[in-house]
Amino acid sequence: MRIPLSWLREFAAVPADASAEDVMAELVKVGFEEEAVHRPTDTLKGPIVVGQVLSLVKEPQTNGKTINWCQVRVVPEGQEQTLTGDGIDPSGVQGIICGAHNFVEGDKVVVTLPGAVLPGDFHISARKTYGHLSAGMIASVRELGIGEDHDGILVLSRIGLDPEVGTDAMELLDLYDEAAEINVTPDRGYAFSIRGVAREYAHATGTAFTDPAGKVNAPAGLSGGYGVKLNDDAPIYGKPGCDRFVARTVRGVDATRPTPPWMVSRLRLAGIRSISLPVDISNYVMLELGQPTHCYDQDKLSGDIVVRRASAGEKITTLDGKERTLDAEDLLITDDSGAIGIAGVMGGAATEVSDSTSNVLVEAAHFDEVSIGRSRRRHKLPSEASKRFERGVDWQVAGIAAQRVVDLLVELAGGTADDAGTDVGTAPETITIELPAGFAAARIGIDFTEEQIVTSLEDLGAVVEKNDGGWNVTPPSWRNDLETKEDLTEEIARLVGYDKIPATLPVAPPGRGLTRVQQQRRRLIQSLADAGLTEVLSYPFVSKAANDTFGVAEQGAERSAVKLANPISEEQGFLRTSILPGLIEVAKRNHSRGFRDLALFESGLVFLPAEKMGTESIPPLGAKPDAEVLDALYDGVPDQPFHVAAVLTGHDSPAAAGHTPRQWDWADALDVARLAGDVLGIDLVVGQGSHQAFHPGRTARLALRTGETVGYAGELHPKLLAASDMPARSVALELNADALFEAAPDVIVARHISTYPVATQDVALVVPADVPADEVLDALREGAGELLEDVALFDVYAGKGIEEGKKSLAFGLRFRAADRTLTADEASAAREQAVALAAERFGAVQR
């Protein structure tokens, strides 16, 4: 909201020397945010004066143009020029070249003298042009920065002005005024008006406030005016789209009269361009009182006005010249010809006020916030009116705003107001809020006095009555956001002053810190980042196909997911059951932009619904549900385990001179998974796995020692990579981190480091081809006994020299004793025991 200071001063005691910055500093105290300052003098500097054209000589030029060589008086006749400067003629008459042709001798115009600066940092100086010394410029409204008209210069008589020659034109056109712009939060729609901001300025400074609505002498009742019917047969949430409609008629209006410069200036500073006198008056009253109004050409209306819902497919051409197809929820202003306006959003072109308009019908109505907000969003048609209606407008001010428009049309447009008028509708029920005496103090932490509470609420315009335990408070009609005692408490704190609230740091209770799971989560995420992976964050919304692919290991297996009621995109209409779809999308986006070597990871919740989702009813507000109701609510919430996933594409390092980077492969994904287990103190069991999103032969199943599957790692399926336009051989992993946290020991005990030398033994075993290497490794570990420190598979061979249907597995065994140096015989004996157990279980034969 932009607030011209001259306008604000009419209703609030703003000091004469206060700047826009000073005003914003005061408004910040009552909860507004500073946005900007709009000050014409920042880009426009004098001397800029009123001049009168004494003579005008047209001189054709060789380039086809005709210029005017003008003599312009810039001081009253008989007086001396008091301004000095290079190019300013002491005689008071300036010779000026002008290319415009919309003025004649005797016209009074705006002259920018040498030394002036126009918007765009355009400096005016005396210069030789077209064979003359032109000392100044006769300005247009665009050159002055006060409008877009550039068809000709500004002739003052055409905007209703006849000032004395030499008058300061910047003062004449109100260019010394300035505006403060503040951000208004959605719950404070009343502040989209000078009336609302002036009241808030008075709150902030403790000065007097004059309500502009109180200056309007509106009739107590209206009857006999233009016919209006409110016919909402499909109210949204049971609330009528229009509950008040005031209509007034002004006859004999001269719509061609110019809008007074003071009004044009205020509208411009407020961010609204001047259009025509009736429209400008309507906008002016909206800014002043916060009540949007609309002017119809009454002679273009046919029959009574009916406020109703649209028929599906009905059309209207709005004031912006666009034909719009209406929705059944749209609230319309109609007459016998059909729709003539989208209520509270924009009027129709058919009844628009024009230069030929003589009789004006003024509308000031009160519309439902939800109806207007939905229509505005549906038609992508933001307007100054809808901005106010969808935030809430004072029901009581409609009649006053209509009278204000009528008064200005009579005063400025020469019209005559009808005594008759229309005022239909039903006033909303008055809300009374009970505020307990100690409630505000308990919520805010300040012992407010009774005087502070009562004064603050009465300053808002509320009616406050004492009761046994506190007060009954009736909010004013312009504060539809005040509905509860919490709202009143917030207002008390705001008006007493946020700076009065003490800043006290809470004292942490002793013995508290991060929980076990929080520590584990941090340690896990930090270890992946330390390993060189980059953490990313993706949306938890995915498609049904993505959940079908990643949510279950077996293709076609039963899968359930949470469907969003109001998704951002219908294509991503489900909550994720795996992190990988979003992570792959991030990798795909980076790959398409040239980042091909990636190691990404993400941690977050996945959503796994059970058979029961939600509850049959929602508990009422204002009371804590009992334990049984809470249990039912929790039972209806889907399980949300914490997962961690990673995707690796391209190479493990950049190419460089003398260095060939290695491509990521399935073993790298497995190493990342093992790292996650190591930092949590868990020995993950790796086995051959199968998952529909992974390569059929390059997938590892990750499990706990109990056999519980906690994730998968390996190469992504080639078809999936091709469909996503991802590099071949991209690898990934995903782990159920919550399962890891639960299985992890509370304290991770480091292994004892032996000072005795290690004894190594290798063994190659021939086993059936279908025997998993991991099971053979487990048998060797078990058979070797406590002397075995580590065992690892280092070769797999099948081919010449190996019987068909068999394979050779080569293992390296490392033995060490904690208290002595092992002999070769001891190491060999342990190895033989390990081989014997493998032979017993799998028929393994030493090669």
Side-chain angles (χ1 to χ4, degrees):
M1 175 68 186
R2 296 184 182 184
I3 312 110
L5 265 56
S6 65
W7 206 349
L8 183 65
R9 287 189 175 98
E10 291 186 10
F11 311 116
V14 181
D17 59 349
S19 65
E21 290 86 352
D22 296 331
V23 169
M24 289 193 294
E26 296 294 347
L27 292 174
V28 165
K29 296 177 182 177
V30 286
F32 293 104
E33 296 177 2
E34 299 180 2
E35 285 291 325
V37 171
H38 301 272
R39 185 181 291 118
T41 54
D42 286 344
T43 58
L44 185 68
K45 300 185 185 302
I48 302 175
V49 299
V50 173
Q52 186 170 30
V53 180
L54 300 179
S55 65
L56 182 154
V57 179
K58 295 186 179 296
E59 298 182 355
Q61 304 298 310
T62 57
N63 60 5
K65 292 177 61 177
T66 298
I67 59 96
N68 299 311
W69 170 238
C70 306
Q71 297 297 312
V72 184
R73 179 175 293 282
V74 294
V75 295
E77 189 173 2
Q79 295 185 18
E80 294 183 358
Q81 174 64 273
T82 57
L83 297 173
T84 59
D86 188 15
I88 296 180
D89 198 310
S91 70
V93 177
Q94 300 287 128
I96 299 174
I97 292 292
C98 184
H101 300 282
N102 66 322
F103 65 102
V104 296
E105 293 178 358
D107 280 343
K108 290 183 178 179
V109 294
V110 175
V111 179
T112 59
L113 295 173
V117 180
L118 299 183
D121 198 29
F122 183 68
H123 292 254
I124 304 299
S125 61
R127 61 192 181 93
K128 191 73 176 289
T129 180
Y130 294 108
H132 298 282
L133 182 65
S134 180
M137 186 175 76
I138 305 174
S140 69
V141 293
R142 180 184 289 182
E143 288 162 342
L144 292 171
I146 60 175
E148 294 301 317
D149 183 12
H150 197 54
D151 294 335
I153 63 155
L154 174 59
V155 178
L156 295 174
S157 62
R158 293 173 192 165
I159 61 172
L161 296 176
D162 184 21
E164 183 181 17
V165 172
T167 300
D168 184 346
M170 293 180 63
E171 183 175 355
L172 177 72
L173 299 174
D174 291 299
L175 297 178
Y176 290 118
D177 199 1
E178 56 187 295
E181 184 175 1
I182 57 172
N183 180 37
V184 178
T185 53
D187 61 326
R188 301 173 73 178
Y190 67 92
F192 276 109
S193 67
I194 301 298
R195 181 194 190 201
V197 174
R199 181 182 283 110
E200 290 295 330
Y201 183 86
H203 293 333
T205 58
T207 55
F209 162 69
T210 302
D211 191 347
K215 292 186 172 184
V216 180
N217 187 20
L222 292 170
S223 62
Y226 201 92
V228 176
K229 298 175 183 176
L230 307 182
N231 183 22
D232 186 357
D233 55 1
I236 299 176
Y237 299 136
K239 190 173 181 179
C242 178
D243 55 10
R244 188 180 188 188
F245 196 107
V246 177
R248 300 289 304 277
T249 299
V250 182
R251 303 184 187 277
V253 167
D254 182 0
T256 64
R257 286 192 181 183
T259 303
W262 59 266
M263 183 178 286
V264 173
S265 173
R266 287 183 174 181
L267 290 174
R268 182 184 67 254
L269 277 174
I272 296 179
R273 66 184 179 91
S274 175
I275 298 173
S276 67
L277 180 57
V279 175
D280 291 349
I281 289 172
S282 177
N283 285 332
Y284 186 84
V285 172
M286 174 186 67
L287 292 171
E288 185 172 77
L289 298 175
Q291 167 70 56
T293 63
H294 187 71
C295 292
Y296 301 91
D297 186 328
Q298 186 164 315
D299 296 330
K300 296 178 182 178
L301 295 172
S302 57
D304 290 350
I305 286 177
V306 179
V307 184
R308 61 169 174 83
R309 297 287 171 181
S311 302
E314 191 172 356
K315 297 181 183 298
I316 184 176
T317 301
T318 45
L319 287 173
D320 58 1
K322 295 182 180 179
E323 184 179 69
R324 302 180 185 275
T325 301
L326 300 167
D327 184 89
E329 268 195 357
D330 288 328
L331 188 69
L332 301 181
I333 310 297
T334 68
D335 64 2
D336 290 348
S337 66
I340 59 174
I342 304 175
V345 179
M346 186 172 284
T351 57
E352 180 181 7
V353 171
S354 65
D355 287 351
S356 62
T357 297
S358 176
N359 301 317
V360 175
L361 182 72
V362 179
E363 166 209 305
H366 186 268
F367 300 113
D368 172 48
E369 296 92 332
V370 174
S371 285
I372 305 308
R374 289 187 177 182
S375 289
R376 190 266 301 167
R377 288 188 290 273
R378 184 180 301 115
H379 296 290
K380 297 181 176 62
L381 192 57
S383 65
E384 291 293 332
S386 65
K387 181 165 65 176
R388 287 160 175 81
F389 278 126
E390 65 182 307
R391 288 166 172 79
V393 171
D394 183 359
W395 189 94
Q396 300 288 355
V397 85
I400 296 169
Q403 182 64 49
R404 177 71 165 138
V405 174
V406 168
D407 292 344
L408 289 171
L409 285 172
V410 171
E411 177 187 351
L412 302 177
T416 303
D418 283 4
D419 292 333
T422 305
D423 189 351
V424 295
T426 304
E429 293 184 5
T430 302
I431 297 177
T432 298
I433 306 167
E434 185 174 344
L435 179 65
F439 186 81
R443 285 291 184 275
I444 305 300
I446 299 177
D447 291 330
F448 295 110
T449 65
E450 180 174 339
E451 181 183 1
Q452 285 177 317
I453 293 173
V454 173
T455 301
S456 297
L457 296 176
E458 288 179 342
D459 284 349
L460 289 175
V463 176
V464 183
E465 297 179 351
K466 183 75 174 175
N467 62 28
D468 292 340
W471 300 272
N472 292 325
V473 182
T474 304
S477 58
W478 55 85
R479 291 301 302 270
N480 61 342
D481 59 310
L482 301 181
E483 298 178 338
T484 66
K485 56 189 176 183
E486 288 80 8
D487 296 333
L488 297 179
T489 298
E490 182 181 351
E491 291 300 298
I492 293 167
R494 184 173 70 87
L495 296 186
V496 171
Y498 292 138
D499 57 326
K500 301 296 192 301
I501 301 174
T504 305
L505 290 174
V507 179
R512 299 290 182 91
L514 296 177
T515 65
R516 173 178 176 270
V517 171
Q518 287 171 335
Q519 291 175 344
Q520 291 171 323
R521 187 177 295 186
R522 288 193 179 188
R523 192 159 62 244
L524 173 60
I525 293 172
Q526 188 62 50
S527 68
L528 296 179
D530 290 344
L533 281 76
T534 300
E535 185 175 15
V536 297
L537 184 66
S538 65
Y539 285 111
F541 314 126
V542 298
S543 65
K544 180 179 183 299
N547 271 343
D548 288 343
T549 301
F550 290 92
V552 288
E554 298 300 324
Q555 189 170 2
E558 183 178 354
R559 193 251 343 128
S560 59
V562 179
K563 191 175 190 306
L564 297 169
N566 185 25
I568 296 175
S569 166
E570 288 298 334
E571 294 180 357
Q572 282 79 40
F574 291 82
L575 288 175
R576 66 188 178 191
T577 55
S578 165
I579 292 180
L580 281 176
L583 194 54
I584 290 172
E585 186 63 31
V586 173
K588 175 184 173 183
R589 189 179 306 115
N590 278 273
H591 183 262
S592 68
R593 295 173 182 174
F595 298 98
R596 301 179 182 276
D597 300 328
L598 302 169
L600 309 176
F601 82 95
E602 180 179 2
S603 60
L605 303 179
V606 298
F607 305 86
L608 308 176
E611 295 181 2
K612 180 182 177 183
M613 277 284 290
T615 56
E616 295 181 359
S617 61
I618 297 175
L621 300 174
K624 181 180 179 180
D626 57 32
E628 185 177 347
V629 173
L630 285 173
D631 288 342
L633 289 171
Y634 287 127
D635 290 342
V637 176
D639 187 25
Q640 299 173 46
F642 185 77
H643 279 209
V644 63
V647 170
L648 296 88
T649 72
H651 299 86
D652 65 346
S653 58
H659 169 69
T660 301
R662 184 181 62 83
Q663 189 173 13
W664 295 115
D665 61 23
W666 61 268
D668 294 299
L670 202 56
D671 285 344
V672 174
R674 284 182 170 135
L675 172 64
D678 289 344
V679 299
L680 297 174
I682 296 172
D683 187 14
L684 287 176
V685 178
V686 180
Q688 182 67 40
S690 174
H691 193 292
Q692 60 177 322
F694 287 82
H695 191 289
R698 298 170 187 155
T699 304
R701 169 181 169 269
L702 307 171
L704 302 175
R705 286 292 173 190
T706 60
E708 178 188 354
T709 300
V710 293
Y712 292 87
E715 189 175 307
L716 289 168
H717 200 290
K719 290 183 179 179
L720 186 149
L721 293 174
S724 300
D725 195 24
M726 291 271 288
R729 299 296 180 90
S730 294
V731 299
L733 70 121
E734 182 163 9
L735 291 166
N736 182 344
D738 274 353
L740 298 181
F741 298 155
E742 186 175 350
D746 291 338
V747 178
I748 300 175
V749 180
R751 292 180 180 177
H752 174 71
I753 299 176
S754 175
T755 59
Y756 293 96
V758 66
T760 59
Q761 298 271 348
D762 293 342
V763 62
L765 301 176
V766 178
V767 297
D770 59 351
V771 173
D774 191 60
E775 293 183 13
V776 179
L777 186 146
D778 284 344
L780 293 174
R781 181 183 289 113
E782 183 180 343
E786 63 181 10
L787 293 180
L788 181 68
E789 185 177 78
D790 189 32
V791 58
L793 175 71
F794 65 84
D795 185 53
V796 178
Y797 173 73
K800 186 177 180 180
I802 302 298
E803 184 181 346
E804 187 175 353
K806 303 274 187 174
K807 62 183 177 182
S808 172
L809 304 176
F811 297 91
L813 293 84
R814 189 169 66 192
F815 300 96
R816 186 175 353 223
D819 57 351
R820 67 187 187 282
T821 298
L822 290 177
T823 65
D825 291 341
E826 287 177 309
S828 297
R831 184 195 64 182
E832 294 304 325
Q833 293 173 13
V835 171
L837 185 58
E840 179 184 335
R841 289 186 179 177
F842 309 110
V845 177
Q846 263 195 96
R847 186 179 168 196

